[in-house]
Amino acid sequence: MAENGSQDHTAIPAQGWLRPLAALDGLIARLEAAVLAAGVILMAVLSVANVIGRFVFGQSIFFAEELNQFLVVLITFFGIGYAARQGRHIRMTAFYDAMPDRARKWLMVVIALITAAAMFVLAWYALAYVQSVLDTGRVAPALRVPVWVTLVWAPVGFVVTGIQYVMTAVVNLTRPEVYVSSSVIDSYDDSPTEV
Amino acid sequence: MTATMLGVMIVLLLLGFPMMVPLIAGSFVAFFVYMPIPPEIMVQQMIAGIRPSALVAVPMFILAADIITKGHSADRLIDLVMRFVGHLRGGLGVTAATSCALFGAVSGSTQATVVAIGSPLRPRMLEAGYKDSFTLALIVNASDIAMLIPPSIAMIIYGVISGTSISELFIAGVGPGLLILVLFSVYCVIYAKRHDIPVLERASWAERIDAVKGALWPLGFPVIVVGGIYGGIFSPTEAASVCVVYAVILEFVIFRSLKLAELVEIAKSTGLITAVVFILVAAGAAFSWAISFNQIPQQILGALGLADAGPVMVLVAISVAFFIGCMFVDPIVVILVLTPIFAPLVSGAGIDPVLVGVIITLQVAIGSATPPFGCDIFTAIAVFRRPYVDVVRGTPPFVAMLVGVSAALIFFPQIALFLRDLAFR
Amino acid sequence: AEWKFALEEAIHEVQGVYATKFKEHVEANSDHTIAIFPFGTLGESADITELTQLGAVQFANASPGFMGSEIPELNIFLMPYVLPENPAVLADFYKTSPTINETLAGKYPDQGLELVDMYPEGEVVMTTKEPVTSPADLDGVKFRVMTSPLLVETYNAFGATATPLPWGEVFGALQLGMIQGQENPMFFVESTKMYEVTDHITYAGHNTFTTAVIANKAFMDGLSDEDRAVVQAAADAAYDYIIDYQQGLTESAEAKILEAKPEMTVTVLTDEQRAPFRAAADRVRQKYVEMVGDSGKAVLEGFEADIAASKERAGES
Ligand code: NA
Ligand code: NA
């Protein structure tokens, strides 16, 4: 859960042929952060505009509910990748914390690989789901946009999250410290942190 | 099969997997081993799980709490309470508990309360001589009160799922919330006496008036939420967004305590927490759907022979089931899974669904502060940077008091229903 | 085999009564069994439609008003003053209308679905805080509607401030005065206690809530001729039963409401009072044709012709 001031950074060493990959990873991190912030702020603005519209102007924003639902999906699926990158996914660490470093490291590799596998399987199912919605040609009643456009962020989010967990396994195998995510070392320090 | 599934989930949980993995693994078993269903449905149900529009209140309250904690509003509200009770034995502890209740009136979320009240108060309590284990346990458990005092995310979700009036739930939560506040306050006083915690100097009335003046703007939060909801201007869900806008106006325009760049940073961190919580809501929804589709709850309840149970037995069963469920799974997920399962028993026994909602909310509140799984525990771990065991060490006396309140509610429903009946009947 | 039937309503409401009859008939006349999943147990309307498309459940209620996002023409069922106001004409219309049973039914297979049956659930009434006898009475009234552009258009045309709101918030919003009105069929007003938080019920005859039973297409195609006949016969039996059952359902719901709340006023608008509402409905027709296009126009005209035929059969001119 530590951030260690390393947010938005990538675990890929920015050298040689990996450089474009590192740049891409950094770009994705920034995009995720931007979507999270914009999504949350837009949600607040939209709800309050709806209140003002209804109360002051007697006119509700008829698409507010649909757009908010879309934003929730967007935030959730952009956020899970970002949370994986920051090592922020909620875990029950009582037993894990009690283990020695070496055991924690190997356990983390196993956890990361199994989690990555689960994410990739879900990405596959999510793609199948989006495809089935695409086939029906369903259109959101108020926003009048194809419904699949609002759902396609699910497979994307699962793939990005899966990749983050693969990278977590890789950094644990290639570096001496225990990593809870591709960019965060597993330790408690005394500096206060954001939540 | 059900036992195998739960066994796998518990092992994955205890090994330290991200919480979503045990839920997803449970769904895999339920969807593809138990009774093969097209795999798309698992994702359909995950997304359906985060679709209820009431869930929008979660990110909004977290955002508002984060803004007022980073700014001045939270500090000023705490100062106000301390000027009045700081000189009393255990006053700081009582302040923490009371602040949680006050903050509960503006936030719907226990996690937001841990952040907003814990961040400014914990250093002051440590300074005053309270042990960290007591301080952490008090903050984490007193945050339960936030869930019982309106608005409450747990009640919104229960209301949506069970079709129960959310406003009646809100009013019914106030009584038990205040009862818990009183119990915790008494415990704080006893603790302070036993550990001989020094008191603050009694504030003069001039200082108190100063504090009231300083807190005038932040006191607008409860006024706006209560006035707005009960004045018919906005829904409880929209109240959360109105709080955000009020918080932005206070901290960025009136107090000028924050810069616009910080708002972006806070919004990003809100989005992150939202995603972390909602992916669990989503995974829990898919899991609960599979359980419902396979009619497992009916089998388990059939085996328990509760079909013709009386009201007390049903309420005890609900309390125990939700308590155990919340020990392991995110509270919101537990509401999503268990509420529909118990619905037939509740209507069969002729129990007021509002009472059930309050009892469930209390269990869920207890669960969110109780090991092994507890989102408040995790929030505390994240905010205060303390390992798991430190955060949970001081919890047993608090949990005991909360369980006592649960029992009292079953036998004296009027604790919850009195205010509701006064307002609506 | 066990077939699954998912509903949009509770087991004791109209859809539950239909499904129970359907189940009884199927189980009495074949080796198959039916498990009924009432509202909420498998998801909301959109969810159970998808579950039927994906084949996880075999049968479901998919009210055409909720299926407009898949088959836009179905939005016609949300429009005011399209369906006949006389119940006998209405019952005949669903059964005989070629526009429903051929044109609209022909659009379901593209969605992987088959239309099994369509039936009414009762006249939609307005329940409000203040009495309503003309569009002027709705001026400034925040009126809750489902999230649908046509319903928003309808109530704006009626003079109200159409306010889309999730169902879960409606009771509280009425109670605290955030909204001052909502519409639903009478039995639903009774079962969901909407009358506790409003004071006036108005029959304006503007709509009848229509629901449809759909089935997974691959499942239906895979049935033996014998099983198909059993399904068809079960649907016919359930249709007749539900039409009978509804005789007086609205009245009995009204009686229950008046018993629980004697001060509730119930107003049936006269033809004269309905005229301005009918006139306002024109705007909604234009919106429908604009949204759905030529095929929408054809369906609208088809409905008018079919309803005229039904009226003739029912001896109404
Ligand atoms: Na609260
Ligand atoms: Na817990």
Side-chain angles (χ1 to χ4, degrees):
Chain A
M1 304 235 176
E3 287 191 15
N4 295 359
S6 59
Q7 57 197 36
D8 295 356
H9 283 197
T10 169
I12 304 173
Q15 21 177 285
W17 61 273
L18 282 173
R19 190 171 291 168
L21 210 58
L24 178 67
D25 190 48
L27 198 69
I28 292 175
R30 265 185 210 106
L31 179 69
E32 285 167 349
V35 168
L36 288 182
V40 167
I41 291 172
L42 185 56
M43 200 183 262
V45 170
L46 186 66
S47 307
V48 172
N50 198 19
V51 172
I52 295 173
R54 186 178 59 236
F55 199 70
V56 181
F57 302 107
Q59 193 79 48
S60 283
I61 301 178
F62 67 94
F63 57 82
E65 188 187 343
E66 261 179 28
L67 189 53
N68 267 338
Q69 287 172 349
F70 166 59
L71 288 174
V72 164
V73 171
L74 198 69
I75 290 169
T76 302
F77 288 101
F78 268 84
I80 54 170
Y82 194 70
R85 183 187 305 274
Q86 307 285 339
R88 290 284 292 273
H89 277 289
I90 296 175
R91 298 166 55 211
M92 215 296 282
T93 52
F95 294 97
Y96 171 90
D97 281 345
M99 290 180 187
D101 270 10
R102 218 183 137 67
R104 283 221 315 276
K105 194 177 185 60
W106 282 105
L107 183 54
M108 202 61 224
V109 171
V110 172
I111 288 174
L113 289 177
I114 291 180
T115 306
M119 291 298 116
F120 290 134
V121 172
L122 276 182
W124 184 249
Y125 294 166
L127 202 62
Y129 175 57
V130 173
Q131 182 67 51
S132 79
V133 173
L134 181 62
D135 290 343
T136 66
R138 207 140 56 88
V139 171
L143 285 171
R144 316 288 302 153
V145 298
V147 171
W148 71 267
V149 173
T150 66
L151 302 176
V152 73
W153 311 105
V156 171
F158 285 131
V159 167
V160 169
T161 310
I163 292 172
Q164 281 301 324
Y165 278 106
V166 170
M167 283 163 60
T168 306
V170 171
V171 289
N172 272 300
L173 289 170
T174 54
R175 298 191 190 172
E177 300 90 350
V178 187
Y179 280 78
V180 288
S181 80
S182 60
S183 57
V184 177
I185 294 174
D186 181 11
S187 63
Y188 295 99
D189 60 28
D190 292 318
S191 64
T193 183
E194 296 171 11
V195 166
Chain B
M1 178 55 89
T2 309
T4 316
M5 187 167 68
L6 291 177
V8 167
M9 292 173 72
I10 290 171
V11 167
L12 291 174
L13 178 74
L14 294 181
L15 280 176
F17 274 81
M19 280 293 312
M20 59 184 166
V21 176
L23 286 170
I24 290 166
S27 299
F28 279 158
V29 175
F31 270 86
F32 310 120
V33 184
Y34 214 111
M35 181 179 282
I37 309 170
E40 300 94 298
I41 290 170
M42 188 169 160
V43 175
Q44 181 217 11
Q45 286 304 317
M46 290 183 80
I47 291 172
I50 53 176
R51 206 173 42 204
S53 39
L55 283 177
V56 170
V58 179
M60 292 300 102
F61 276 124
I62 294 176
L63 181 60
D66 213 5
I67 293 172
I68 67 167
T69 311
K70 290 219 166 57
H72 293 163
S73 300
D75 276 338
R76 290 186 187 202
L77 283 171
I78 290 163
D79 276 341
L80 173 65
V81 184
M82 281 180 68
R83 291 278 163 90
F84 283 87
V85 301
H87 61 284
L88 302 170
R89 186 68 83 176
L92 202 48
V94 176
T95 301
T98 312
S99 307
C100 287
L102 270 184
F103 190 81
V106 292
S107 128
S109 142
T110 59
Q111 284 156 289
T113 310
V114 168
V115 182
I117 306 303
S119 312
L121 262 181
R122 177 169 163 260
R124 299 199 200 188
M125 288 185 69
L126 295 182
E127 251 170 58
Y130 290 87
K131 273 196 204 150
D132 202 15
S133 61
F134 175 84
T135 307
L136 287 166
L138 175 65
I139 291 167
V140 165
N141 285 281
S143 298
D144 288 355
I145 301 168
M147 223 180 242
L148 285 161
I149 306 251
S152 156
I153 292 165
M155 284 179 172
I156 291 174
I157 291 172
Y158 170 82
V160 169
I161 295 211
S162 66
T164 308
S165 159
I166 293 166
S167 13
E168 288 193 25
L169 286 167
F170 277 5
I171 287 215
V174 172
L178 292 181
L179 178 59
I180 293 170
L181 175 59
V182 169
L183 286 176
F184 282 9
S185 299
V186 169
Y187 180 62
C188 283
V189 173
I190 294 171
Y191 178 94
K193 282 216 170 106
R194 257 220 322 248
H195 292 78
D196 208 18
I197 309 281
V199 294
L200 295 178
E201 218 170 290
R202 177 194 281 268
S204 68
W205 279 101
E207 286 172 313
R208 286 177 184 176
I209 290 166
D210 263 4
V212 171
K213 279 184 189 156
L216 270 185
W217 282 108
L219 281 172
F221 280 106
V223 172
I224 285 178
V225 171
V226 175
I229 293 176
Y230 293 94
I233 299 172
F234 37 70
S235 70
T237 316
E238 289 169 336
S241 308
V242 175
C243 281
V244 169
V245 171
Y246 188 62
V248 167
I249 293 171
L250 284 198
E251 302 297 350
F252 291 86
V253 181
I254 295 175
F255 297 155
R256 294 181 180 277
S257 54
L258 297 172
K259 292 193 193 67
L260 211 57
E262 286 170 287
L263 178 62
V264 174
E265 204 48 45
I266 292 171
K268 185 182 84 181
S269 119
T270 298
L272 175 62
I273 297 171
T274 304
V276 162
V277 175
F278 280 13
I279 194 65
L280 293 179
V281 174
F287 182 61
S288 83
W289 185 89
I291 288 192
S292 176
F293 188 82
N294 292 326
Q295 300 185 298
I296 292 173
Q298 286 83 340
Q299 293 165 20
I300 293 177
L301 286 182
L304 286 178
L306 281 169
D308 300 315
V312 170
M313 198 54 223
V314 169
L315 289 176
V316 170
I318 287 175
S319 301
V320 171
F322 275 78
F323 185 84
I324 292 174
C326 291
M327 284 175 73
F328 297 103
V329 183
D330 185 273
I332 290 173
V333 175
V334 179
I335 300 181
L336 289 164
V337 176
L338 290 186
T339 303
I341 296 176
F342 278 104
L345 282 182
V346 169
S347 59
I351 310 171
D352 190 330
V354 172
L355 176 65
V356 175
V358 173
I359 288 177
I360 285 176
T361 304
L362 176 57
Q363 296 310 324
V364 153
I366 299 173
S368 59
T370 314
F373 183 93
C375 54
D376 294 346
I377 294 173
F378 286 99
T379 310
I381 293 169
V383 191
F384 309 127
R385 297 282 179 121
R386 302 314 307 164
Y388 191 89
V389 276
D390 284 17
V391 176
V392 301
R393 189 171 291 140
T395 53
F398 291 99
V399 175
M401 283 182 271
L402 291 167
V403 170
V405 173
S406 319
L409 263 178
I410 293 176
F411 294 102
F412 307 101
Q414 286 307 317
I415 298 171
L417 299 181
F418 171 71
L419 280 177
R420 193 278 309 260
D421 292 347
L422 206 63
F424 291 123
R425 293 292 138 96
Chain C
E2 188 197 67
W3 298 339
K4 293 181 162 66
F5 193 151
L7 313 180
E8 297 167 329
E9 290 170 9
I11 194 77
H12 59 272
E13 293 175 320
V14 177
Q15 294 181 6
V17 172
Y18 178 101
T20 305
K21 198 73 197 169
F22 184 84
K23 171 188 163 87
E24 281 168 14
H25 195 282
V26 167
E27 290 179 352
N29 294 288
S30 71
D31 294 336
H32 305 296
T33 57
I34 289 187
I36 299 174
F37 291 83
F39 168 76
T41 48
L42 293 184
E44 293 172 11
S45 188
D47 301 322
I48 60 177
T49 300
E50 263 182 22
L51 292 174
T52 317
Q53 288 173 319
L54 295 167
V57 305
Q58 285 72 38
F59 299 98
N61 270 99
S63 295
F66 298 131
M67 264 198 83
S69 50
E70 284 95 345
I71 305 174
E73 289 83 358
L74 291 178
N75 276 305
I76 193 167
F77 288 97
L78 294 179
M79 284 167 54
Y81 298 110
V82 168
L83 293 177
E85 291 159 50
N86 177 338
V89 177
L90 195 63
D92 183 77
F93 168 66
Y94 288 112
K95 210 166 194 170
T96 59
S97 164
T99 313
I100 289 179
N101 297 303
E102 287 159 30
T103 314
L104 290 180
K107 301 196 180 289
Y108 283 82
D110 291 344
Q111 300 290 324
L113 299 171
E114 197 174 308
L115 178 64
V116 177
D117 210 351
M118 207 179 258
Y119 58 90
E121 291 198 40
E123 180 175 341
V124 173
V125 297
M126 307 181 196
T127 70
T128 48
K129 298 272 195 190
E130 300 291 333
V132 175
T133 51
S134 71
D137 294 329
L138 284 172
D139 187 28
V141 171
K142 296 185 190 73
F143 201 102
R144 184 267 173 177
V145 295
M146 292 188 297
T147 302
S148 146
L150 277 179
L151 287 174
V152 169
E153 188 77 15
T154 299
Y155 274 91
N156 284 338
F158 283 179
T161 299
T163 306
L165 201 67
W167 175 244
E169 293 187 13
V170 174
F171 188 95
L174 279 169
Q175 186 169 49
L176 300 169
M178 186 185 130
I179 53 173
Q180 295 89 36
Q182 64 93 33
E183 61 159 32
N184 259 306
M186 200 62 165
F187 80 91
F188 206 66
V189 171
E190 196 276 320
S191 68
T192 57
K193 312 276 178 257
M194 282 298 127
Y195 61 87
E196 286 182 0
V197 286
T198 46
D199 304 309
H200 302 275
I201 294 175
T202 307
Y203 291 87
H206 65 295
N207 207 350
T208 288
F209 191 84
T210 303
T211 191
V213 177
I214 55 169
N216 177 274
K217 184 169 184 301
F219 160 76
M220 290 296 276
D221 291 346
L223 288 182
S224 68
D225 288 347
E226 196 185 336
D227 282 344
R228 245 195 116 84
V230 167
V231 168
Q232 194 50 55
D236 287 343
Y239 183 87
D240 291 342
Y241 185 81
I242 210 71
I243 294 294
D244 272 353
Y245 171 80
Q246 284 198 35
Q247 294 274 333
L249 179 65
T250 298
E251 287 77 2
S252 72
E254 188 182 307
K256 274 187 207 161
I257 291 173
L258 287 174
E259 197 192 329
K261 186 174 174 180
E263 67 272 26
M264 195 88 194
T265 75
V266 180
T267 312
V268 182
L269 296 190
T270 62
D271 239 13
E272 207 172 33
Q273 287 170 320
R274 291 179 189 194
F277 288 103
R278 282 211 179 87
D282 269 349
R283 211 171 105 188
V284 189
R285 283 165 187 256
Q286 284 164 24
K287 175 96 181 171
Y288 172 76
V289 172
E290 179 192 310
M291 270 173 60
V292 184
D294 286 345
S295 67
K297 200 162 179 235
V299 167
L300 197 52
E301 284 160 4
F303 265 44
E304 279 160 6
D306 298 350
I307 289 167
S310 290
K311 277 183 178 168
E312 214 158 285
R313 262 192 298 276
E316 190 190 293
S317 59

